Structures are given as structure tokens and as C-alpha cells.
């Protein structure tokens, strides 16, 4: 079991969304590493808030410009998107979010949020710390006998064509691509069969109401049975609070329609089922050495194995200390693994804490058993009904308190984390 006996000097951040960008800024400015870089697979930064060059503003909403092709990788963002977090809670430390230029609607649009991130990233580009069009395809833990660190394989798409394969070695890696590549579909009888019709979709692919005109659409969404929703909707006769869906089937008459079977009735002649059921955490390109049993330090015979899986319950990235550091090897970190209603601020806070841990200003437990305490607590928890609100989220307040009150956060760094 690895301890922080050797501080990392070279750090790679994977993902150019809000979590990756603020992690890059904080590791550069609030610690002292030899090299910190960020790689992003798309042609620009933004992550979930990626604003493709083929979207132009017109009228009352953003519109797709058909003269340009979309990005190779999708994004949950769509024309006309408006967020649900106020600007003051979307602000990174030292970089306030501008007030929206409207008096009747305070929430930022997709374009406004993207422009904020683009402005934040500009000095990081100028310092040569961001590589665009670099798709990470494999991250492997390297045993101490082979020098330690992480082997990173990526495809460089800057030259076009089939891309150029690159392999690099880094002391530490920060993963920020945890959630939004993984749309979650519930395990409901008949769903796999009706998916074959092409009439089952996920909100991750929503680009607006075009194509749904005159269609009968059912939108299953998550509603927690344990928490009160903080996201109310406007009254609308088309919104109905019903019990859980028990089964899906093709309509018996033509097979071109879908029947949705509820507990007490059925909804017939459905053209599309559009799921708003969130995402699950998974990093399919990541491989770690098998931890083995506690008390054994040799990793020479251990095999590489996936760390994450959709089947893990409660839904989470397992074996994390403070929901940030991989407990078995603290040179692997995650920013954004913990769901938060203030994700920008949480990423700012956690990456500041990470910078101070990796630079030696904050100590973490040396015993693996102590670093696994959070994991043992979560594994004993009852899984939540929501895949996109993992049980880890229930400990968010405790997590924030532990980070804010961590010893020397402000005095050792010279920065106020928030």
C-alpha cells in the first residue's frame, strides 16, 4: 500500500471542463510543481459547457449553423440551455462570474457560462499549459519496481486523419472526466427490447424540440423518495407525478409504438421515451494495480484492473479518501467525483486542498486503513435510488467541513481557498 513518501513533481490533468480548468490554475498557482499540464479531447475547453463553433446566437435562442459539422464527442449542452445555479455560486476564487445582462432572468446561459470559462482559461493557454484535441485512451498505474507513476496513452488529433498515438509518464494524474460520458438507464423490464426501436433516448442527446412535433413523448425522470427536490418546475398540465415504471413493451398492434406500464395503469401509443435519469460515474480508460490485502507492500505480481464500474453500489468512484484521493495510491486524484449543487466552488476548494496535499503542506493519514475510512462508511450505506446523486453526496456537508478546517489550508498556501 503506497504512502506519500515521494511527492509528485509532474502532474497531468485529464479534462478541460470547469473541474479541470480550476484544478490546473490551483496546482500551478497554489503549489510548486515542476510541470502541470491539462489535456482535452475536444477542440476547445468547456466540458459540459462546451460551446461548439457550429452554434451561433440568433433570435431568442442559440441555433445550430448547418454549414459546420459538430464535434466528434457529444455534450449534454444544447442550444437554448440555461443553468440553474446563480452566478455567485459559479465563481472561481479571484474570478467573479459577471452578472447576466438581464433583469428578469438571473441564471446564466450556455454561451455566458462558456465565455466565463474561456476567459478564465485564457492565461492558462498563454502559459502553454493546455493541449486541445488530445484524447486520453489509457491510464495505467506503474509499480514501484518500474519507477512508479502513471503511464498515459493518448491520441493527438491536431494533425487530423487517424491521429497520432502518444505515450507519456507522469508522477500524478487528476481525472475530471467522471460523469457525463455515462448516461444512466434504469434496470426496468422490457427496456432493452424497446431500445432496439431507436425510440428510446437520453437527455444527454437532447438538442431541442425539433423532430418531436406531434409526437407522444414520455419523460421518465428521477424523483428521490428520501429527499425534497430543490428544483421546482412551473405548473404545467403535461407534468404528472406518477409511480415508478414497472415495464416497457412494444405495442401489440403495429410494434411501432411503445407502451409504458405503471403500477396502476398504462400509457399507450408512445412515440418516444426520453430519459432524464442522470449519469453514473465511470472512467473506462483507467487501470490500477490490484490493491491486494492490507499489510502487503509488494505490487510486483499484481495485475492491472479497472477501478470503476457501473455495477458498483452505492454508485461512486470507490476507495477514495475525502472523495478526492485514491486511497491505495494517493498520486491519483479525482476532481468532480462528488456530486454538488455548487460544482464550480467545490472543484475550486478540492483542487486547492489537493495542491496543498501533494506539495506537502497538508498531511494525510499514512495508514491505508485510515485512508479507507470514508470508503468503508460508504460501502455500508444503503444505495440511493438515484444514480446521479450517489450516497457520497449525503456526506457533502461533512466533506466540506473537513476540507475547510484542514490544518494550514490558508496559512500555508497564502490563499483563501474560496
Amino acid at each position: 500500500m503506497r504512502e506519500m513518501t515521494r511527492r509528485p513533481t509532474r502532474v497531468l490533468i485529464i479534462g478541460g471542463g470547469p473541474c479541470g480548468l480550476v484544478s490546473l490554475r490551483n496546482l500551478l498557482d497554489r503549489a510548486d510543481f515542476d510541470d502541470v499540464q491539462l489535456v482535452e479531447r475536444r477542440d476547445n475547453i468547456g466540458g459540459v459547457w462546451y460551446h461548439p463553433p457550429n452554434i451561433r446566437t440568433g433570435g431568442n435562442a442559440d441555433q445550430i449553423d448547418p454549414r459546420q459539422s459538430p464535434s466528434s464527442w457529444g455534450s449534454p449542452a444544447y442550444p437554448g440551455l440555461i443553468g440553474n445555479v446563480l452566478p455567485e455560486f459559479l465563481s472561481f476564487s479571484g474570478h467573479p462570474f459577471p452578472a447576466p445582462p438581464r433583469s428578469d432572468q438571473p441564471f446564466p446561459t450556455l454561451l455566458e457560462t462558456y465565455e466565463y470559462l474561456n476567459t478564465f482559461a485564457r492565461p492558462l493557454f498563454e502559459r502553454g499549459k493546455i493541449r486541445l484535441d488530445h484524447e486520453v485512451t489509457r491510464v495505467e498505474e506503474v509499480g514501484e519496481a518500474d519507477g512508479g507513476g502513471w503511464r498515459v496513452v493518448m491520441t493527438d488529433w491536431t494533425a487530423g486523419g487517424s491521429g497520432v498515438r502518444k505515450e507519456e509518464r507522469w508522477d500524478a494524474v487528476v481525472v475530471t472526466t467522471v460523469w457525463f460520458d455515462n448516461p444512466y438507464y434504469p434496470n426496468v423490464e422490457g427496456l432493452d427490447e424497446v431500445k432496439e426501436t431507436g425510440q428510446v433516448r437520453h437527455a444527454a442527446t437532447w438538442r431541442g424540440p425539433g423532430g418531436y412535433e406531434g409526437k407522444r413523448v414520455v419523460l421518465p425522470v428521477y424523483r428521490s423518495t428520501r429527499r425534497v427536490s430543490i428544483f421546482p418546475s412551473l405548473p404545467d398540465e403535461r407534468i404528472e407525478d406518477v409511480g415508478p415504471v414497472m415495464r416497457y413493451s412494444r405495442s401489440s398492434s403495429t410494434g411501432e409504438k411503445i407502451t409504458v406500464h405503471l403500477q396502476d395503469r398504462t400509457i399507450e401509443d408512445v412515440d418516444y421515451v426520453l430519459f432524464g435519469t442522470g449519469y453514473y460515474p465511470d472512467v473506462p480508460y483507467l487501470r490500477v494495480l490490484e490493491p491486494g490485502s492490507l499489510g502487503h507492500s509488494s505490487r510486483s505480481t499484481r495485475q492491472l484492473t479497472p477501478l470503476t464500474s457501473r455495477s458498483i453500489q452505492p454508485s461512486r468512484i470507490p476507495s477514495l479518501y475525502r472523495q478526492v484521493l485514491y486511497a491505495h495510491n494517493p498520486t491519483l486524484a479525482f476532481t468532480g467525483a462528488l456530486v454538488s449543487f455548487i460544482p464550480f466552488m467545490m472543484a475550486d476548494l478540492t483542487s486547492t486542498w489537493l495542491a496543498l496535499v501533494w506539495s506537502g503542506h497538508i498531511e494525510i493519514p499514512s495508514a491505508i486503513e485510515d485512508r479507507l475510512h470514508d470508503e468503508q462508511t460508504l460501502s455500508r450505506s444503503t444505495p440511493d435510488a438515484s444514480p446521479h446523486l450517489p450516497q457520497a453526496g449525503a456526506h457533502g456537508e461533512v466533506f466540506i467541513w473537513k476540507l475547510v478546517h484542514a490544518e494550514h489550508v490558508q496559512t500555508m498556501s497564502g490563499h483563501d481557498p474560496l
Side-chain angles (χ1 to χ4, degrees):
M1 305 305 149
R2 195 164 309 182
E3 300 178 6
M4 291 290 291
T5 56
R6 183 172 57 186
R7 302 293 171 188
T9 60
R10 301 180 64 253
V11 181
L12 180 69
I13 301 168
I14 302 172
C19 292
L21 292 173
V22 75
S23 295
L24 178 62
R25 192 278 305 269
N26 290 343
L27 265 65
L28 286 170
D29 295 351
R30 300 179 178 179
D32 185 17
F33 300 103
D34 292 344
D35 189 17
V36 183
Q37 295 186 30
L38 181 150
V39 289
E40 163 58 44
R41 65 186 179 181
R42 293 188 177 93
D43 58 5
N44 211 338
I45 55 89
V48 172
W49 298 97
Y50 172 79
H51 193 272
N54 61 326
I55 293 184
R56 56 186 170 85
T57 300
N60 296 322
D62 291 339
Q63 299 174 338
I64 295 292
D65 187 342
R67 296 171 297 176
Q68 302 182 50
S69 59
S71 170
S72 300
W73 290 278
S75 167
Y78 54 88
L81 172 65
I82 298 176
N84 58 6
V85 179
L86 292 170
E88 54 263 41
F89 300 110
L90 290 174
S91 298
F92 295 136
S93 53
H95 198 85
F97 199 110
R102 299 171 297 278
S103 59
D104 59 336
Q105 200 286 99
F107 297 103
T109 65
L110 167 63
L111 181 58
E112 289 165 352
T113 306
Y114 167 77
E115 289 179 341
Y116 170 79
L117 294 172
N118 195 46
T119 301
F120 181 83
R122 189 170 296 125
L124 302 174
F125 276 112
E126 293 171 352
R127 296 165 72 175
K129 295 300 182 180
I130 299 177
R131 287 183 281 168
L132 300 176
D133 293 304
H134 280 69
E135 178 193 7
V136 172
T137 57
R138 188 82 165 182
V139 174
E140 295 180 350
E141 184 179 4
V142 179
E144 289 292 348
D146 297 315
W150 299 86
R151 173 178 171 265
V152 180
V153 179
M154 63 185 76
T155 301
D156 179 356
W157 296 104
T158 56
S162 58
V164 177
R165 183 182 185 275
K166 293 182 177 180
E167 182 175 323
E168 301 175 355
R169 182 77 72 88
W170 292 86
D171 297 337
V173 171
V174 182
V175 176
T176 71
T177 57
V178 175
W179 290 93
F180 293 102
D181 282 340
N182 313 305
Y184 176 85
Y185 292 90
N187 184 20
V188 179
E189 180 183 349
L191 181 56
D192 290 340
E193 180 184 356
V194 298
K195 276 185 178 181
E196 297 174 359
T197 66
Q199 296 163 259
V200 175
R201 301 176 183 179
H202 192 279
T205 64
W206 172 262
R207 295 297 176 267
Y212 293 98
E213 297 90 344
K215 302 296 184 181
R216 186 175 175 85
V217 182
V218 170
L219 290 85
V221 298
Y222 164 72
R223 180 176 64 84
S224 176
T225 59
R226 300 170 57 196
R227 302 186 182 99
V228 176
S229 173
I230 66 169
F231 300 126
S233 60
L234 295 175
D236 192 311
E237 63 181 13
R238 295 169 296 180
I239 299 176
E240 184 178 356
D241 190 3
V242 300
V245 176
M246 308 304 293
R247 182 167 63 92
Y248 295 93
S249 66
R250 297 187 185 185
S251 298
S252 56
S253 56
T254 64
E256 297 178 356
K257 301 283 187 175
I258 297 172
T259 299
V260 181
H261 302 262
L262 305 177
Q263 281 182 323
D264 57 350
R265 60 189 174 92
T266 60
I267 303 175
E268 305 280 353
D269 299 324
V270 173
D271 294 293
Y272 292 101
V273 179
L274 177 61
F275 282 89
T277 45
Y279 304 83
Y280 64 93
D282 191 19
V283 187
Y285 56 77
L286 177 62
R287 297 293 184 273
V288 297
L289 293 170
E290 292 177 326
S293 59
L294 297 178
H296 293 277
S297 59
S298 174
R299 305 173 75 93
S300 59
T301 61
R302 292 175 186 160
Q303 302 298 311
L304 289 167
T305 185
L307 175 62
T308 63
S309 168
R310 177 178 175 174
S311 62
I312 294 174
Q313 292 295 329
S315 184
R316 69 197 188 282
I317 304 295
S319 302
L320 295 189
Y321 173 71
R322 295 289 187 265
Q323 304 304 315
V324 180
L325 290 172
Y326 178 48
H328 296 283
N329 183 348
T331 60
L332 173 64
F334 297 83
T335 305
L338 183 69
V339 172
S340 169
F341 293 124
I342 49 170
F344 284 34
M345 297 178 70
M346 178 65 81
D348 196 355
L349 177 63
T350 56
S351 57
T352 295
W353 178 84
L354 176 62
L356 298 176
V357 169
W358 277 353
S359 59
H361 295 309
I362 292 178
E363 293 185 358
I364 63 174
S366 58
I368 183 64
E369 296 92 337
D370 294 333
R371 294 201 297 265
L372 283 171
H373 173 75
D374 296 340
E375 168 68 10
Q376 291 163 354
T377 300
L378 289 176
S379 63
R380 292 192 298 266
S381 301
T382 302
D384 189 86
S386 167
H388 60 287
L389 291 176
Q391 189 67 22
H395 301 278
E397 295 82 1
V398 177
F399 172 74
I400 294 173
W401 187 91
K402 288 177 179 177
L403 288 185
V404 170
H405 293 275
E407 187 177 7
H408 306 314
V409 165
Q410 187 167 354
T411 57
M412 295 300 292
S413 69
H415 296 275
D416 184 344
L418 292 179

